[in-house]
Amino acid sequence: CDLASSAKMTKGTYSFGRRHNKTHTGCVRCGRRSFHNQKKLCGACGYPFAKIRKYGWSVKAIRRKTTGTGRMRHMRHLPRRFKNGFREGTQ
């Protein structure tokens, strides 16, 4: 029972030092480090599938990703345009 062989049995410090392969890289769509290299699938947003990944069992995650949490470059102007009947450029 030498020290080297018993150290390899642990799941802690010794094992953490040996981890140097990246399974996940940055996702093109959501920007998170959740894109699995071998599967070619994002664990956070489901890229490359067209539908965004979301599940009812994680309501908080949906709340974080939903409309209104980003810039809303198009949507933020809609209430004003709707109020004016979508008129543009008239005098």
Side-chain angles (χ1 to χ4, degrees):
C1 176
D2 66 355
L3 194 63
S5 63
S6 64
K8 288 178 185 170
M9 298 285 283
T10 63
K11 293 188 278 184
T13 314
Y14 177 83
S15 302
F16 281 109
R18 299 174 72 86
R19 297 183 187 188
H20 50 69
N21 293 328
K22 287 198 177 103
T23 52
H24 294 88
T25 54
C27 174
V28 180
R29 182 160 68 186
C30 68
R32 289 174 62 176
R33 190 168 173 255
S34 308
F35 189 76
H36 199 282
N37 279 339
Q38 287 183 319
K39 293 184 193 174
K40 300 290 182 216
L41 182 79
C42 179
C45 71
Y47 182 82
F49 293 115
K51 287 190 177 179
I52 296 281
R53 173 188 174 275
K54 67 178 189 134
Y55 292 103
W57 46 258
S58 183
V59 180
K60 245 188 202 179
I62 296 173
R63 202 186 309 151
R64 287 187 206 112
K65 295 186 212 176
T66 193
T67 314
T69 56
R71 282 173 63 184
M72 295 207 319
R73 285 171 286 200
H74 174 71
M75 291 278 286
R76 71 171 164 221
H77 302 298
L78 284 182
R80 171 174 40 84
R81 290 176 58 213
F82 172 75
K83 185 179 70 179
N84 297 323
F86 294 97
R87 284 183 286 116
E88 284 187 27
T90 56
Q91 292 185 0

